[in-house]
């Protein structure tokens, strides 16, 4: 395996790690955080959401940059292959999820961080925040599926190549070529 191939593999694994972190974070929100939303009040929502969301925003802002660079590098390395569509899909989905976050989710985050004192306003903000996060988690899931598709596609091709290379070879005396040994049935 060449250095270039090792670099491409390490880069693809880094991108898989990042999309997996988004996937896990998103689905943990839906499965474990959303169910407690009806129990939240203006007195207790802040500690349940704001510090975690602020920490996640700082971390994921940095990680999103890494993802965009990694997807672009992987696309460049695969640009002449059928594998190029996987990092292209991840890149596009990261851009869409980032725009969704920036323009639709951040205003909800800001409202919660500023302090909501009206129960009706809290209900409205939480409902909007959860709705847009379902869309974002869907995008994160598609990112993960694209990277899993990349590795699955590589694995299928590797298995096919290994399978084709393991067949016994027979000499075709008529053409002077070698090919897979195939038993004739009579």
């Amino acid at each position: 395996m060449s250095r270039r191939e090792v670099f491409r593999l390490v880069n693809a694994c880094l991108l898989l790690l990042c999309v997996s972190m988004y996937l896990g974070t998103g689905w943990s929100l839906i499965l474990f955080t959303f169910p407690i939303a009806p129990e939240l009040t203006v007195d207790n929502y802040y500690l349940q959401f704001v510090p975690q969301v602020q920490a996640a925003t700082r971390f994921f802002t940095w990680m999103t940059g890494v993802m965009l660079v990694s997807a672009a590098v992987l696309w460049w390395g695969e640009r002449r292959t059928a594998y190029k569509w996987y990092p292209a899909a991840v890149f596009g989905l990261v851009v869409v999820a980032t725009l969704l976050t920036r323009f639709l989710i951040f205003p909800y985050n800001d409202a919660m961080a500023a302090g909501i004192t009206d129960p009706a306003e809290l209900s409205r903000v939480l409902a909007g925040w959860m709705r847009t996060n379902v869309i974002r988690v869907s995008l994160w899931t598609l990112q993960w599926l694209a990277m899993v598709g990349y590795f699955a596609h590589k694995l299928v091709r590797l298995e096919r190549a290994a399978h084709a290379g393991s067949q016994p070879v027979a000499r075709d005396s008529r053409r002077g070529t070698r090919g897979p040994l195939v038993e004739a049935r009579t």
Side-chain angles (χ1 to χ4, degrees):
M1 184 179 270
S2 72
R3 284 185 183 180
R4 183 176 288 160
E5 291 168 327
V6 169
F7 175 77
R8 189 175 303 151
L9 177 62
V10 169
N11 182 53
C13 288
L14 172 64
L15 191 52
L16 177 63
L17 172 66
C18 291
V19 298
S20 296
M21 291 177 72
Y22 268 143
L23 180 79
T25 300
W27 280 101
S28 83
L29 270 177
I30 289 172
L31 296 173
F32 308 120
T33 303
F34 286 10
I36 67 160
E39 308 302 320
L40 296 175
T41 67
V42 294
D43 296 323
N44 69 6
Y45 85 88
Y46 193 93
L47 285 177
Q48 293 291 325
F49 279 92
V50 176
Q52 296 86 337
V53 167
Q54 289 173 339
T57 299
R58 284 189 300 274
F59 177 78
F60 286 131
T61 298
W62 172 84
M63 192 180 85
T64 299
V66 170
M67 291 173 73
L68 290 170
V69 170
S70 180
V73 168
L74 186 59
W75 178 87
W76 181 258
E78 299 288 9
R79 71 190 180 282
R80 293 185 178 103
T81 72
Y83 305 118
K84 69 184 172 224
W85 300 110
Y86 300 103
V90 171
F91 188 93
L93 289 163
V94 169
V95 168
V96 171
T98 300
L99 292 172
L100 174 78
T101 301
R102 173 67 185 93
F103 294 108
L104 297 179
I105 294 176
F106 278 1
Y108 293 124
N109 293 353
D110 294 343
M112 286 191 278
I116 299 172
T117 57
D118 177 29
E121 178 68 6
L122 178 62
S123 293
R124 185 192 68 74
V125 168
L126 282 175
W129 186 82
M130 290 188 303
R131 222 179 9 262
T132 52
N133 268 288
V134 167
I135 297 166
R136 183 169 63 169
V137 171
S138 299
L139 295 168
W140 289 347
T141 302
L142 291 173
Q143 292 170 19
W144 184 83
L145 289 170
M147 282 310 297
V148 168
Y150 174 83
F151 282 104
H153 191 169
K154 289 240 177 202
L155 182 61
V156 166
R157 285 227 174 140
L158 182 64
E159 286 179 346
R160 283 183 186 158
H163 184 263
S166 67
Q167 293 180 353
V169 176
R171 184 156 187 85
D172 184 340
S173 59
R174 292 172 282 155
R175 291 186 273 172
T177 60
R178 292 184 170 269
L181 179 62
V182 179
E183 294 181 16
R185 294 186 182 202
T186 55

